[in-house]
Amino acid sequence: MEYYVSASVLSADMLHLEQEIRKMENSGIDMLHFDVMDGIFVNNISYGLPILESVNKCTDMFLDVHLMITDPLKYVKRFADCGADNITFHIESESDVMETIKAIKECGVKASVSIKPATPAEAVFEYLPYVDMVLVMTVEPGFGGQSFIYDTLDKISSIRSKANELGLSVDIEVDGGINAETSPLVRRSGANVLVSGSYLFKAEDMSDAANKLKEGSGD
């Protein structure tokens, strides 16, 4: 299984974002994780289309867009046009899940679904044949710097087991409290895309921190 690190822009120095992107490019980071919040679906507001478009113009990094918004279907094409390489949306949103997956695919972008900590793993099983990735939130979505919720490990294992049962090589992404201590736990549970923010951006050596997230990938 291939393992990837997706660095959460939410933890970057937004005043010097281009320098932060260059740092990521030179640190073995595989993806740039772009959290979009509307202040309704989650109790926070982040950045949106203009920032993504600007980021896309200054880097060739894979742009891993996570929509924490009420009506993702309405905005799929606009985020794809602004450079998203993957669009993740929540099955708890108001948009029809299959219609949203279809709309993302029609834009030529990878489609992913996400679930909050309280949503059972079984909620995504029917969508596994149609998506490229499942994002399991390991903290409550909305704010960075939260502590890892250990109960989500069983959920990751259940989704990986179901994907294997169906013969699918779907990626499983985790987001929230991912660091050198929790990364071995999520990898062993079946996750292979690790989103990290504070741990990476506060590290003295981002490259070393990213490598630590991938250590033990042969487990």
Side-chain angles (χ1 to χ4, degrees):
M1 185 183 296
E2 291 290 329
Y3 291 81
Y4 306 95
V5 172
S6 189
S8 177
V9 179
L10 200 61
S11 296
D13 179 353
M14 297 302 290
L15 187 61
H16 303 98
L17 186 53
E18 184 171 0
Q19 291 96 310
E20 294 279 62
I21 290 171
R22 298 293 169 251
K23 186 177 179 181
M24 287 185 271
E25 289 174 336
N26 295 317
S27 298
I29 303 297
D30 303 293
M31 306 176 188
L32 189 157
H33 191 78
F34 195 88
D35 287 309
V36 180
M37 310 176 195
D38 63 2
I40 302 172
F41 184 75
V42 294
N43 190 27
N44 196 9
I45 296 174
S46 60
Y47 33 65
L49 294 159
I51 300 296
L52 179 64
E53 188 172 31
S54 296
V55 167
N56 185 51
K57 289 177 180 177
C58 79
T59 185
D60 290 327
M61 289 186 72
F62 186 95
L63 302 183
D64 178 26
V65 176
H66 178 195
L67 300 181
M68 288 175 270
I69 62 178
T70 304
D71 188 8
L73 179 58
K74 180 179 179 181
Y75 295 95
V76 162
K77 188 176 187 306
R78 293 173 68 186
F79 276 99
D81 289 344
C82 285
D85 294 298
N86 173 80
I87 295 178
T88 300
F89 69 98
H90 279 261
I91 66 170
E92 303 96 346
S93 74
E94 295 180 1
S95 297
D96 179 270
V97 176
M98 283 308 301
E99 283 188 24
T100 307
I101 293 171
K102 181 181 178 183
I104 296 171
K105 293 285 192 176
E106 287 176 348
C107 292
V109 173
K110 289 189 174 183
S112 306
V113 291
S114 181
I115 49 176
K116 296 180 179 181
T119 303
E122 292 76 13
V124 301
F125 285 0
E126 64 182 290
Y127 307 114
L128 290 176
Y130 310 103
V131 297
D132 298 284
M133 184 168 71
V134 175
L135 167 56
V136 176
M137 291 300 301
T138 46
V139 299
E140 289 296 335
F143 293 90
Q146 297 181 61
S147 296
F148 183 85
I149 300 174
Y150 287 87
D151 288 348
T152 58
L153 292 172
D154 288 340
K155 187 184 303 186
I156 298 165
S157 296
S158 295
I159 295 171
R160 177 57 69 196
S161 293
K162 187 63 176 180
N164 289 342
E165 176 188 319
L166 297 173
L168 302 171
S169 58
V170 62
D171 289 320
I172 297 180
E173 184 172 50
V174 286
D175 184 0
I178 303 301
N179 52 41
E181 288 71 45
T182 58
S183 59
L185 303 177
V186 296
R187 288 196 308 266
R188 284 197 291 268
S189 295
N192 68 307
V193 182
L194 283 64
V195 178
S196 186
S198 308
Y199 171 73
L200 289 172
F201 286 97
K202 291 181 179 179
E204 290 186 13
D205 185 333
M206 182 180 281
S207 180
D208 180 62
N211 287 336
K212 286 180 179 176
L213 293 181
K214 295 183 181 183
E215 279 179 5
S217 58
D219 291 350

